[in-house]
Structure formats: C-alpha cells, structure tokens
Amino acid sequence: MTRSDYLALIDAYGGHFKISEFDIQDSIGRMDTGFLQSFLAWRQWTGMPTMITSAWRRNDQKSHGKGKAIDCLLFTQWRVQQASALNHWLLATTWPFQGVGLYFDWSYKCPITKADIPAIGLHVDGWSGNTTKQRPLRWLRINGLYYYQSVVNGSFFCQTNSKSITLDQALKLHATTAEAV
C-alpha cells in the first residue's frame, strides 16, 4: 500500500489519526493492514479520543514486531482527562482483539506543564502467534508486575509474586492510588 492508500484507510474510518501517529519507530507500512483496519474501526466505534504511544516496534519478536499491536491512551477530554480504567477494559475486551493489556503504571507528558501525569495504558493486538499463553490473552500490569487472566475463573495471576487479583480488586487498588496522587 502507498501512503495515500493509508491516508484513504484512515479517512474511511473517521480520519481520527495522522499517519505520523503510526510512524513512531518507522513507517505505517510495517503495520498489518487487517489489524490496522480493525483498530481504526474500533476507534470509530468507541468514539474515544485516542493517543497512540506505540505501534510497530523494531526488534520485537511478538505482536508489535509483527505490526499487529498498538499501545494507546483513551481520553474523555483530550489529553486532560482519561476514561476510567473500567471503560478502557470494557471497550477493549468487547472488541475481538487477541490480546488486551491494561497498564496501571503508565504516564504521559502533559503538553501544557510538561509534567509526567499518571495514566492508564492500553495494549491491544491482533496477534495469535507463537506464545505459550492461550489466546485471546488478557492481562494487567500493576507496579511493573504482569498478572495474566485465567480462562477458568477470570482472576489474574502473577508468576513473579505468586499472587492473584480480580479485576474488581485491581480497579479499587488503582482508584485508591489515583486519589493519593
């Protein structure tokens, strides 16, 4: 596809992005077209202002390196107020993404004050590639630790600290720490 083809694809789904937002490490041409189209349709469906923080990544052997993943932030008020963690989760898991990760430990630079602001990060992917984890895969990252969701009971388990947490517990923990900031 040419750059104009990508522009047409972006425009076809509401024109919410510029090509440069996908050109973080290289070219939008590294993105899997089917996944990109699904992501654009998802953005149009959610109606949420979305900031892309990562797309295709060089030297990544997993979803980003295959052009089938995007990391983003969702806002209710552009770059001022984020959607709730629960909204992030529901919007991403309702769509048929193969991977959804909710990151409670991200930040982004405020365009006005240049200060780092705590943020809820969202990873979505369309990768079903070689992984030991069952797909679709759902996970949370809390304080740098990954908790993967069980398809049996829905709880999230971290192999590093051998602890489990439910989504409700993680949301309450995040709400408590967000109030302290």
Side-chain angles (χ1 to χ4, degrees):
M1 286 181 50
T2 67
R3 272 182 104 65
S4 59
D5 292 333
Y6 285 107
L7 277 172
L9 181 61
I10 291 168
D11 286 345
Y13 287 94
H16 300 290
F17 299 101
K18 298 175 186 157
I19 286 183
S20 61
E21 293 177 83
F22 298 97
D23 285 344
I24 297 165
Q25 276 201 0
D26 196 0
S27 168
I28 193 171
R30 302 279 187 153
M31 294 297 297
D32 177 88
T33 307
F35 173 72
L36 179 60
Q37 185 174 4
S38 177
F39 177 80
L40 295 170
W42 174 74
R43 163 54 183 92
Q44 187 176 38
W45 173 74
T46 67
M48 302 290 294
T50 305
M51 177 192 298
I52 298 170
T53 61
S54 181
W56 178 83
R57 286 190 209 150
R58 156 184 323 109
N59 299 324
D60 185 322
Q61 300 301 309
K62 296 182 180 175
S63 57
H64 282 284
K66 307 295 182 202
K68 292 186 173 196
I70 291 177
D71 295 337
C72 59
L73 305 171
L74 304 179
F75 293 90
T76 54
Q77 186 179 354
W78 180 238
R79 296 181 85 177
V80 175
Q81 182 177 346
Q82 278 202 285
S84 72
L86 181 58
N87 261 0
H88 275 75
W89 185 257
L90 294 175
L91 292 171
T93 57
T94 302
W95 200 258
F97 290 121
Q98 287 295 305
V100 172
L102 191 59
Y103 294 77
F104 291 99
D105 53 5
W106 278 12
S107 64
Y108 72 98
K109 197 161 292 292
C110 175
I112 298 165
T113 66
K114 306 299 184 211
D116 282 335
I117 297 174
I120 301 157
L122 181 65
H123 167 99
V124 294
D125 73 51
W127 187 58
S128 57
N130 68 18
T131 178
T132 58
K133 306 241 186 301
Q134 183 176 353
R135 291 288 180 141
L137 182 62
R138 307 292 184 244
W139 67 92
L140 308 174
R141 191 174 80 184
I142 303 168
N143 298 323
L145 297 174
Y146 288 87
Y147 294 77
Y148 292 95
Q149 190 173 34
S150 165
V151 294
V152 176
N153 64 16
S155 68
F156 295 81
F157 179 74
C158 177
Q159 290 183 333
T160 305
N161 65 11
S162 297
K163 293 185 179 179
S164 290
I165 192 168
T166 66
L167 179 60
D168 190 47
Q169 290 168 330
L171 294 170
K172 286 178 184 172
L173 177 66
H174 173 71
T176 305
T177 55
E179 287 174 7
V181 172

